[in-house]
Amino acid sequence: MNPSSFFLERFPVEARDFILSFLPEALRPWAAALISVVAILAAFGLFFAFLTLLERKSLAWVQNRPGPNRTGPWGLLQPFSDAIKMVTKEDIVPAAADKLLHYLAPVVLVAFSLLTFAVLPYGRHLVALDLDAGVLFFFAAGAGTELAIFMAGWSSRNKYALIAAMRALAQLISYELPLLLSFVPVILATGSLRPVAIVEAQGSWTWGVLPHWNVFTPWGAAGFLLFLVAALSESNRSPFDLPEAESELIAGHLTEYSGFKYALFFMAEYFGMTALAGLGVTLFLGGWQAPCEILQWVPSYAWFGMKLLSVIVLFMWVRGTTPRLRMDQLMRLAWKFLSPLALFNLGAAIVWLVTAQWQFPGALALRWVLASSIVVIPFLVIGRSLSRGLSTRTYGFAP
Amino acid sequence: MLGLGVIQGLMVTARNALGTLRGDPRRDVNIAYPEMRAPIPESFRNFPFLVTDGTGVHDGLRCVACTMCEQECPPQCITIVMERDEKGKPAKKPKVFNIDISVCMGCGICAEVCPFDSIKMDKVYEVATTERFGSLVLTREDLAKTNTYFHQISPAEAAEVDGRLAEQKRVAEEKAKAAAAKAAAAAAAKAAAGGAAIA
């Protein structure tokens, strides 16, 4: 019984091949690429629409409110009414703005965010672009979004937008380092930059129930936590949403944007978050692999979707919980805490891989202790040294 | 330990979210307004209305157009014109009774000064209109509401008012009866005196 031959598993590929069979031979590669693009756009476009609803709903629950519930059952039509509202709004371009760049910035941002979706394996047979250096491509495309943010800030000819764009760039570049470093152990362990190979390397189980996902190793667990923090910051989400900070700063680099362009920025933000969560799922949570062997009859893309959704729900949960960091706290966290820890985590991964040959009884436990102490002890030491002199704040006026 | 605070915070928000989802009354404290309404307290008031003892404007309006409320109204939002018959004799009824609720401040002084318990404070709070001027001036027809309605919105005050009015009526009737008896007695005495004089 080979799960890769199940009907539901093969259905997307079969459907594509069925459509392709009507086309002449020469057009097929182009049409196949086009179908992949359309499928990704449609699936993640809808996913984005309902993510906005889920975000508003979950934030509302955290704040003891019902959330949007007027448009359709359970507020399910809210994304579409939002879309209509956004499209019909007036699109204002400042008179002094650089018109071309101002127009291009949201487009470039969305384009670069969408590029990152190309290399993620969504299922056993579902990967749009199976690149050998897929992880590298992902970060190269992701770095393009920083250019777009600066384009937006610069072209608005508005001092607030420009300062905010600088601030956003500083944040994004700072957190790129821990984000990349948190992924390096995975690449070290797999020996490949190819997402498909990384997922396949995680596809086995101990006794059929314990999955061999990277998150279930000392370096994987630490790396996943580092990834979560850095990904929150890379996707401009609370508690690292300083670039936009809707409740205290004016809208950051979005100050001079309105109407559909503003919606495009939001779309790109959600796309970026989804793509980063998808990469985290691919590298740490076993991608499309089932959590136990007997559950393999569930189509692999469903597993990927569920894992993706749970990571995103975690992001929303964190957004509902944490207050925003100050700029200096943000920078200190990236440079003094996350980056060194990510380097230590690399050491933990090396120890784990070097000791992989140990066969004596209790070897696994010893390896766990060795590898995790390499991360946990610096975590405690750095954490304590960074919070030295700080105590619980007492407020003079409020009880 | 560093990071524990975040986990504690996540637990707090999770408890709130799950409590709201489950409909726990301590978490989900919302009243979905158009479908659900918070109970209105007995002493709630906003705009005045006129009590009628009958069913409509033309029968049983308690108001006698004494203009006491018009004079007392601090923002001057009441306009009263008394009805007169052909000879110009006042009919003890308002011909025009307008309250501009865009001006009214809901102080309730009109209801306090009214000697006939005719003007009372209403509890209708959905008074939005689609037009700014005409629709916010309530006329006699808009203001007249039955005593039954008054009993519905503020039962305690309405019962007290009814009791007081009944008492006043009883006292007035007794007085009238006494006066009539006195008049009859006087007439009888006069008749007797007249008879004596004749005799």
Side-chain angles (χ1 to χ4, degrees):
Chain A
M1 194 173 85
N2 182 7
S4 69
S5 60
F6 288 168
F7 170 70
L8 273 177
E9 189 68 64
R10 292 207 55 84
F11 173 71
V13 182
E14 302 273 343
R16 187 193 66 191
D17 290 346
F18 178 72
I19 296 170
L20 287 187
S21 63
F22 293 106
L23 295 169
E25 195 68 47
L27 278 179
R28 282 187 191 174
W30 297 94
L34 195 65
I35 288 171
S36 307
V37 168
V38 169
I40 286 177
L41 276 182
F44 282 97
L46 269 182
F47 190 67
F48 153 72
F50 287 103
L51 268 193
T52 59
L53 176 67
L54 180 66
E55 172 124 47
R56 293 172 65 177
K57 276 281 189 192
S58 52
L59 282 181
W61 295 328
V62 164
Q63 296 158 5
N64 296 346
R65 294 183 285 121
N69 59 358
R70 296 284 141 179
T71 41
W74 211 69
L76 276 177
L77 297 177
Q78 188 68 35
F80 304 105
S81 84
D82 282 349
I84 293 168
K85 185 196 82 171
M86 280 298 192
V87 171
T88 49
K89 273 194 171 180
E90 186 185 359
D91 178 24
I92 300 165
V93 180
D98 186 328
K99 302 277 187 308
L100 182 66
L101 281 187
H102 191 265
Y103 177 81
L104 273 182
V107 181
V108 169
L109 189 59
V110 172
F112 275 122
S113 328
L114 279 174
L115 273 183
T116 55
F117 282 112
V119 291
L120 295 179
Y122 303 105
R124 206 180 298 270
H125 309 294
L126 294 179
V127 54
L129 196 59
D130 186 5
L131 284 183
D132 279 342
V135 179
L136 213 55
F137 174 88
F138 186 96
F139 284 106
T145 58
E146 287 159 31
L147 172 72
I149 285 176
F150 197 64
M151 276 165 74
W154 173 259
S155 63
S156 299
R157 193 67 72 89
N158 174 321
K159 50 183 170 289
Y160 299 110
L162 184 58
I163 293 168
M166 306 284 278
R167 196 171 55 219
L169 275 192
Q171 173 181 342
L172 292 180
I173 291 171
S174 302
Y175 276 84
E176 201 114 284
L177 184 64
L179 187 68
L180 282 167
L181 283 177
S182 74
F183 286 147
V184 172
V186 177
I187 290 148
L188 206 63
T190 318
S192 172
L193 278 166
R194 189 169 155 244
V196 176
I198 292 172
V199 174
E200 272 160 8
Q202 301 176 64
S204 52
W205 297 267
T206 307
W207 308 313
V209 283
L210 289 179
H212 287 183
W213 299 348
N214 286 329
V215 74
F216 297 120
T217 57
W219 52 269
F224 186 59
L225 290 178
L226 287 169
F227 153 77
L228 282 180
V229 178
L232 277 176
S233 185
E234 275 296 298
S235 48
N236 294 348
R237 289 186 63 81
S238 177
F240 307 108
D241 54 350
L242 271 94
E244 207 213 326
E246 58 262 275
S247 54
E248 38 197 280
L249 306 171
I250 51 172
H253 56 276
L254 309 177
T255 306
E256 295 294 355
Y257 282 93
S258 57
F260 193 62
K261 287 180 190 162
Y262 188 79
L264 280 182
F265 274 105
F266 257 86
M267 199 190 272
E269 208 155 273
Y270 275 88
F271 281 157
M273 173 181 74
T274 313
L276 264 178
L279 189 69
V281 166
T282 303
L283 297 191
F284 291 106
L285 298 181
W288 44 260
Q289 303 282 2
C292 37
E293 206 161 7
I294 47 164
L295 283 176
Q296 277 184 303
W297 56 270
V298 178
S300 54
Y301 46 84
W303 283 121
F304 183 85
M306 279 187 258
K307 291 174 187 176
L308 183 66
L309 199 61
S310 22
V311 172
I312 288 173
V313 166
L314 179 66
F315 283 1
M316 291 175 179
W317 186 8
V318 169
R319 178 174 173 189
T321 306
T322 50
R324 192 172 293 129
L325 265 69
R326 223 166 45 210
M327 192 66 193
D328 61 320
Q329 294 168 335
L330 185 87
M331 286 297 160
R332 198 170 56 179
L333 184 68
W335 291 105
K336 291 189 171 176
F337 191 67
L338 292 181
S339 301
L341 274 185
L343 286 172
F344 278 112
N345 192 30
L346 202 53
I350 292 167
V351 168
W352 180 265
L353 295 173
V354 164
T355 57
Q357 322 300 332
W358 290 2
Q359 289 299 335
F360 55 86
L364 190 65
L366 187 63
R367 285 171 71 205
W368 261 91
V369 171
L370 264 182
S372 42
S373 62
I374 292 182
V375 198
V376 173
I377 293 172
F379 172 78
L380 293 174
V381 171
I382 300 175
R384 197 153 295 179
S385 77
L386 278 184
S387 52
R388 184 177 298 136
L390 301 177
S391 57
T392 313
R393 184 179 289 185
T394 48
Y395 293 92
F397 300 103
Chain B
M1 201 179 82
L2 193 70
L4 281 185
V6 174
I7 293 169
Q8 279 170 5
L10 285 173
M11 287 302 120
V12 170
T13 47
R15 268 200 300 278
N16 273 295
L18 294 178
T20 312
L21 266 179
R22 266 208 322 270
D24 181 347
R26 282 178 309 141
R27 310 273 184 207
D28 187 8
V29 291
N30 305 284
I31 295 170
Y33 159 59
E35 289 93 38
M36 293 155 68
R37 275 150 207 270
I40 295 173
E42 169 83 30
S43 54
F44 176 82
R45 61 155 197 254
N46 56 357
F47 296 122
F49 74 102
L50 294 176
V51 185
T52 70
D53 286 321
T55 50
V57 191
H58 300 291
D59 55 334
L61 207 60
R62 286 183 189 169
C63 179
V64 297
C66 68
T67 72
M68 206 174 262
C69 50
E70 186 183 15
Q71 287 159 32
E72 291 292 336
C73 178
Q76 301 278 298
C77 68
I78 305 180
T79 312
I80 301 174
V81 175
M82 187 185 269
E83 188 152 313
R84 290 170 189 277
D85 56 15
E86 309 84 64
K87 288 175 227 155
K89 195 170 157 258
K92 284 203 172 178
K93 259 162 92 180
K95 187 165 79 184
V96 175
F97 198 114
N98 286 350
I99 296 181
D100 187 349
I101 59 165
S102 66
V103 175
C104 175
M105 62 189 201
C107 62
I109 288 178
C110 49
E112 274 172 36
V113 300
C114 183
F116 303 98
D117 283 309
S118 158
I119 189 162
K120 290 289 171 196
M121 298 308 281
D122 206 347
K123 298 192 180 189
V124 176
Y125 48 85
E126 285 159 326
V127 288
T129 58
T130 52
E131 186 253 341
R132 269 175 73 188
F133 300 104
S135 314
L136 285 173
V137 177
L138 301 186
T139 61
R140 205 171 52 151
E141 281 74 17
D142 306 319
L143 289 168
K145 287 175 183 174
T146 59
N147 196 24
T148 326
Y149 172 77
F150 184 37
H151 271 280
Q152 275 166 16
I153 60 167
S154 20
E157 198 193 346
E160 188 254 303
V161 166
D162 273 7
R164 186 146 36 83
L165 285 182
E167 177 68 19
Q168 275 173 16
K169 203 175 168 190
R170 193 180 59 77
V171 169
E173 270 170 12
E174 262 173 24
K175 215 185 235 172
K177 216 182 271 172
K182 209 175 166 186
K190 206 176 175 184
I198 290 164

